[in-house]
Amino acid sequence: MTVRNILIFTSAVFLFAACSGENEDRYQFEGESVLDTETGDEYILENPDTMTVVHIDGTSEPITVSSTPFAESEELNQMMEKYRANMEKRKEELLAKEKARIKNEREERYADFSDEELEEEFRKLHENDAPFEQQMDIVAELVNREVILEIDAAELLEIDPKDVDMDVEWESTSTSDQAGQ
C-alpha cells in the first residue's frame, strides 16, 4: 500500500465519520416528537405505527414510523419504549378512575340499604332471574361492605368464578327500579 493510498483511505474514513456525525445530530428527539434540524420538519408520534410530519411550510402528512429517515435509530427505539410505557400508565390510570367511579356510584345507589336489606334484595333478584349485571352489582357492594367474601360471590350467583366481575356497571333509572321495590 502506498502513501497515496493510505492518505486517500484515511481521508475517506474521516469524511465518512464527519458525515455520519452530522446525520446523528440532524434529528433531535424530544418527548414524542423529532425535529429534523436540516429541513425543519417535525415528526410527531401519533400512535405506535404512525407519525405526522409537519413541514416547515405548515403542511402535514401521516407517515409510518418504519418509513421515517431515523427508523432504525436507537433514539427512536427509546422514544417508542417511553411512548408504550406512558400509554400503559395512562391506560392503568383511566381504568383505576373508572373502577373508582363505578364503586362510588354503587355506594351511593345502595347507601339507604342496610346490609341485611341488601342481602334480601339480592335473594329476591336472584330468585326472579334478574339481569346478571344487576345481581353482580349488589354482590359487589356486599363484598365492598365485607358482608360476603369475594371468593363466595361465584357460588351465590351460581356462576363460574372466572365470570365474577366486581367492576360490573349497572345503570338503572332509579334505585327503587334497580332494587326491585
Side-chain angles (χ1 to χ4, degrees):
M1 196 173 220
T2 66
V3 173
R4 180 174 175 223
N5 288 346
I6 292 174
L7 288 175
I8 291 173
F9 178 73
T10 306
S11 297
V13 169
F14 283 123
L15 182 62
F16 178 74
C19 289
S20 63
E22 289 174 17
N23 196 29
E24 288 176 13
D25 294 336
R26 177 178 174 178
Y27 301 105
Q28 295 179 348
F29 291 79
E30 257 186 61
E32 294 179 2
S33 68
V34 180
L35 178 65
D36 182 338
T37 58
E38 193 172 292
T39 65
D41 292 342
E42 182 177 14
Y43 297 79
I44 302 167
L45 188 61
E46 298 295 329
N47 62 52
D49 300 322
T50 309
M51 295 186 101
T52 298
V53 183
V54 180
H55 300 287
I56 197 157
D57 64 1
T59 60
S60 64
E61 62 183 302
I63 185 173
T64 61
V65 173
S66 60
S67 64
T68 60
F70 44 84
E72 300 297 321
S73 70
E74 182 60 33
E75 293 89 351
L76 180 62
N77 291 335
Q78 290 172 355
M79 175 193 277
M80 295 304 288
E81 286 176 21
K82 287 179 187 175
Y83 177 80
R84 287 184 186 101
N86 287 339
M87 291 304 292
E88 188 62 33
K89 182 179 175 183
R90 288 181 208 157
K91 182 179 172 183
E92 289 172 9
E93 288 171 355
L94 288 172
L95 186 59
K97 285 180 183 178
E98 180 65 9
K99 286 180 177 185
R101 181 192 64 78
I102 291 170
K103 184 178 176 183
N104 289 336
E105 287 178 3
R106 183 180 296 130
E107 286 175 0
E108 289 175 19
R109 190 167 31 253
Y110 301 117
D112 294 335
F113 290 85
S114 71
D115 294 347
E116 294 78 21
E117 291 171 329
L118 201 54
E119 284 181 295
E120 184 58 33
E121 283 305 318
F122 169 74
R123 280 187 200 75
K124 283 190 230 175
L125 292 171
H126 190 65
E127 287 172 6
N128 294 323
D129 291 325
F132 171 76
E133 292 82 6
Q134 187 177 12
Q135 293 181 52
M136 187 69 239
D137 190 57
I138 292 177
V139 168
E141 179 60 18
L142 290 169
V143 168
N144 185 52
R145 292 181 182 188
E146 298 180 354
V147 174
I148 62 172
L149 297 173
E150 187 171 342
I151 58 173
D152 296 330
E155 186 177 326
L156 284 172
L157 291 162
E158 299 179 53
I159 61 171
D160 190 315
K162 68 178 180 179
D163 294 330
V164 172
D165 181 5
M166 291 295 152
D167 300 313
V168 70
E169 186 167 14
W170 169 255
E171 296 204 18
S172 178
T173 54
S174 72
T175 304
S176 61
D177 288 346
Q178 195 274 325
Q181 295 179 345

